Amino acid sequence: MTENFAARLGSAAPRGTTAPGLFVCFEGGDGAGKSTQVRLLTQLLEGRGREVVVTRQPGGTPLGSQIRQLVLHGDHVAARAEALLFAADKAQHVDQLIAPALARGEVVITDRYTDSSIAYQGAGRELGADEIRALQHWAVGGVLPDLTIVLDVSPEAGRARRGDVHDRLESEADVFHAAVRQGFLDLAAQDPGRYLVVDAALPVDEIHARVVKAVARIDAAASTAQGPR
Ligand code: TYD
């Protein structure tokens, strides 16, 4: 970690103790409906006067956009190269966008983060969840979401929802997507206080209501820890 990066993060301590902002992440298989929920939560929080930074991974920074092109649409990307490219995107993202926004006290909502790599590269590509978790947490300097919402979708429903356009990951067989799904559920089971798992087949409004409730809970906890904001 560079000195600047470390200074902005405060340290690599768990989130909630260092920066004043709120960090919320949406995760789930392809076609889970994350972007709709990101939009609804953003509108709600902005309506309440919060500064919200919305981002997605891979992408979200100039370097991230180039990595996105390489990793999602390149030919013959080896599994370990894929894992390293996703990690590089996260490192850039945290340094340029996420850590500065949290330090300013803003809300950051990200469409995918470290858990996507643990699920897709660790479980889906079978590179090992522990190895990919270590790589990803190193890449982001320990900056982890206050709340991760997993929109749980079956491979069949995900395929039906995303239609005919497929990137490299989306084109994988159902068995790959089933491993990814299990990867997300395993992560949530290991740390239930920091996760909300919602059935992606529920109506959009019902999912949103559950998300809002969970965000209010962690927001209240963060406010108590940091004083009013
Ligand atoms: P994207 O077009 O952003 O789709 P979605 O709407 O499903 O998020 O595609 C991102 C793809 O990259 C998706 O298939 C998941 C995959 N991915 C990884 O494999 N590892 C990662 O670390 C991240 C962030 C994404």
Side-chain angles (χ1 to χ4, degrees):
M1 227 180 340
T2 65
E3 223 175 84
N4 266 350
F5 185 51
R8 259 182 286 149
L9 296 181
S11 75
R15 281 272 316 123
T17 56
T18 54
L22 191 69
F23 189 11
V24 178
C25 171
F26 283 87
E27 294 279 12
D30 295 283
K34 290 182 281 75
S35 46
T36 303
Q37 293 300 328
V38 167
R39 182 171 46 75
L40 291 175
L41 181 63
T42 303
Q43 284 168 355
L44 181 91
L45 294 175
E46 285 181 343
R48 292 180 179 170
R50 301 286 287 264
E51 286 292 331
V52 184
V53 172
V54 181
T55 188
R56 68 168 181 176
Q57 322 228 348
T61 65
L63 179 60
S65 301
Q66 292 186 34
I67 294 174
R68 181 180 177 87
Q69 183 59 29
L70 290 173
V71 75
L72 293 187
H73 304 290
D75 286 334
H76 311 300
V77 182
R80 282 165 193 262
E82 181 181 288
L84 290 166
L85 286 168
F86 279 118
D89 169 68
K90 304 284 189 341
Q92 188 72 11
H93 222 104
V94 165
D95 186 64
Q96 286 213 314
L97 217 132
I98 295 174
L102 292 173
R104 290 192 301 268
E106 296 172 6
V107 180
V108 175
I109 302 179
T110 185
D111 187 335
R112 300 193 180 282
Y113 196 55
T114 49
D115 287 356
S116 273
S117 200
I118 300 169
Y120 280 81
Q121 281 67 57
R125 294 279 188 237
E126 298 181 23
L127 291 174
D130 291 345
E131 283 85 349
I132 299 299
R133 184 202 310 256
L135 173 67
Q136 286 283 318
H137 288 194
W138 177 81
V140 301
V143 177
L144 297 178
D146 297 297
L147 175 70
T148 294
I149 297 139
V150 175
L151 297 184
D152 182 40
V153 66
S154 70
E156 300 75 24
R159 186 162 21 83
R161 282 208 202 182
R162 60 183 184 262
D164 284 340
V165 185
H166 302 298
D167 62 38
R168 283 182 51 256
L169 280 302
E170 287 169 346
S171 320
E172 289 292 336
D174 279 2
V175 58
F176 175 91
H177 290 286
V180 168
R181 179 189 195 186
Q182 193 56 50
F184 284 125
L185 295 177
D186 289 347
L187 285 164
Q190 285 161 24
D191 194 358
R194 232 171 36 79
Y195 282 82
L196 171 72
V197 179
V198 190
D199 181 352
L202 287 169
V204 168
D205 290 353
E206 172 62 28
I207 297 175
H208 178 57
R210 293 187 191 194
V211 168
V212 171
K213 207 168 151 195
V215 170
R217 178 174 53 77
I218 53 132
D219 205 16
S223 295
T224 309
Q226 294 157 8
R229 47 199 168 145

